[in-house]
Amino acid sequence: MALRPLHDRVIIKRLDNERTTASGIVIPESAAEKPDQGEVLAVGPGKRSDDGKITPVDLKVGDKVLFGKYAGQAVKVDGQEVLVIREDEILAVVE
């Protein structure tokens, strides 16, 4: 990937949601909501405080995370859509 996030930003690839319900009904892609889970592809060095010190990001590459439905900025890189999100927009790490 040719992106290197700056400051406290994180690059995330969305994970696909299941396209069938528990009862077996298939949901068409046009009706499905965007997934709110993703995998971290790259992490910036951290946020710089007022005194010049860098606070490192708590995430690492490969973490699975939850984020808000409208969080971040969608960008296409090498034909793949990824999200660039600030660390504070990420809600939780899925373990």
Side-chain angles (χ1 to χ4, degrees), residues 1-79:
M1 175 168 290
L3 287 180
R4 182 176 53 93
L6 300 176
H7 308 294
D8 64 336
R9 289 182 175 81
V10 179
I11 297 177
I12 295 177
K13 177 179 78 172
R14 287 186 191 266
L15 297 177
D16 291 331
N17 281 347
E18 296 215 11
R19 300 243 193 272
T20 57
T21 63
S23 60
I25 299 172
V26 177
I27 301 171
E29 189 170 327
S30 60
E33 292 185 9
K34 288 186 175 180
D36 56 357
Q37 287 188 20
E39 181 179 352
V40 176
L41 299 178
V43 178
K47 193 171 194 171
R48 189 175 299 274
S49 63
D50 292 336
D51 61 354
K53 294 181 181 177
I54 293 179
T55 305
V57 178
D58 289 333
L59 300 167
K60 61 186 182 303
V61 174
D63 281 348
K64 290 189 180 15
V65 294
L66 292 176
F67 50 88
K69 186 183 285 190
Y70 301 107
Q73 177 68 41
V75 180
K76 268 201 165 183
V77 178
D78 300 330

